[in-house]
């Protein structure tokens, strides 16, 4: 799946996606009881609570990805290509941290706090997107494609703004909230 857009980013569409995800995240948190959050998901080793935190983290990490994209977007592409290759070699420690992070995070981050963090990061992404120039949105870098199925070899900042909601929607289908056996 190639997410690199050749057309200018439709900012309104991205704002709408961010708000849809915010509403859905709060709906999921508001309707999930303790048993729901402790239930295993479909297709992952995480519980629903852990996967919800991972979905939140997908938005949090975008803020760092935007900084990296701005930096590497000003350098020769060969620099970010080498960086992405280096990161791809670190897949084992990445997978360990990617799995363990949500396991620990839900022990200290309540659903209420997750909702507040989600609101904070979505608001920050809205503000940042509104300030981006077309030139900045066209900047990009190479990414470690082994780290995430939604990372493409080369992504612009415009692509990075679309990434977290694609990640969110994918994992949303793996939740088993409201039913002991089926995703909602």
């Amino acid at each position: 799946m190639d997410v690199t857009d050749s057309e200018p980013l439709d900012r309104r569409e991205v704002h709408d996606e961010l708000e849809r995800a915010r509403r859905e995240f709060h709906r999921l948190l508001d309707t999930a009881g303790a048993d729901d959050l402790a239930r295993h998901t479909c297709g992952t080793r995480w519980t629903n609570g852990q996967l919800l935190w991972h979905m939140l983290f997908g938005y949090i990490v975008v803020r760092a990805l935007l900084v990296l994209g701005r930096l590497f977007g000003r350098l020769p592409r060969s620099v970010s290509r080498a960086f992405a290759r280096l990161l791809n070699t670190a897949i084992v420690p990445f997978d360990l941290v990617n799995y363990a992070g949500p396991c620990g995070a839900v022990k200290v981050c309540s659903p209420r706090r997750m909702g507040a963090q989600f609101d904070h990061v979505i608001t920050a992404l809205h503000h940042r997107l509104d300030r981006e120039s077309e030139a900045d949105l066209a900047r990009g870098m190479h990414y470690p494609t082994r780290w995430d199925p939604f990372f493409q070899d080369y992504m612009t900042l415009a692509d990075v703004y679309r990434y977290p909601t694609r990640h969110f929607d994918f994992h949303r289908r793996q939740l088993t909230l409201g039913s002991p056996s089926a995703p909602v």
Side-chain angles (χ1 to χ4, degrees):
M1 171 177 69
D2 183 9
V3 297
T4 303
D5 298 324
S6 57
E7 302 174 7
L9 180 68
D10 182 342
R11 294 170 196 252
R12 180 77 266 145
E13 189 174 309
V14 174
H15 285 302
D16 291 347
E17 288 175 358
L18 293 171
E19 284 307 307
R20 176 185 57 81
R22 181 198 312 247
R23 285 188 307 272
E24 180 66 7
F25 194 76
H26 279 283
R27 188 189 70 73
L28 292 166
L29 291 176
D30 292 346
T31 60
D35 289 344
D36 292 318
L37 294 173
R39 186 177 306 118
H40 282 280
T41 58
C42 181
T44 80
R45 296 183 336 192
W46 286 313
T47 65
N48 285 316
Q50 293 163 346
L51 184 54
L52 284 165
W53 192 89
H54 176 77
M55 292 161 67
L56 160 64
F57 191 70
Y59 288 91
I60 293 170
V61 76
V62 163
R63 295 177 76 186
L65 294 178
L66 291 169
V67 171
L68 288 174
R70 278 186 209 88
L71 171 70
F72 281 104
R74 289 176 167 78
L75 301 172
R77 282 191 182 194
S78 60
V79 175
S80 72
R81 186 179 297 115
F83 183 63
R85 276 194 215 128
L86 176 66
L87 293 177
N88 269 330
T89 66
I91 190 65
V92 172
F94 170 79
D95 283 344
L96 177 64
V97 170
N98 189 48
Y99 172 72
C103 294
V106 298
K107 295 179 188 293
V108 296
C109 191
S110 68
R112 182 172 174 221
R113 185 157 181 215
M114 276 196 281
Q117 286 180 305
F118 204 91
D119 288 342
H120 176 76
V121 73
I122 294 296
T123 298
L125 289 173
H126 280 306
H127 289 294
R128 184 69 232 175
L129 177 58
D130 286 339
R131 292 191 315 266
E132 297 284 8
S133 70
E134 290 303 320
D136 282 339
L137 289 170
R139 292 186 195 284
M141 65 178 279
H142 290 274
Y143 282 81
T145 56
R146 294 180 68 194
W147 283 27
D148 191 288
F150 295 101
F151 283 171
Q152 299 304 301
D153 176 55
Y154 186 86
M155 294 170 64
T156 64
L157 291 188
D159 299 324
V160 173
Y161 276 104
R162 304 302 295 271
Y163 160 79
T165 303
R166 289 178 172 141
H167 177 264
F168 178 95
D169 290 342
F170 173 80
H171 286 304
R172 169 69 184 88
R173 293 185 293 273
Q174 296 176 312
L175 293 169
T176 57
L177 297 170
S179 166
S181 61
V184 290

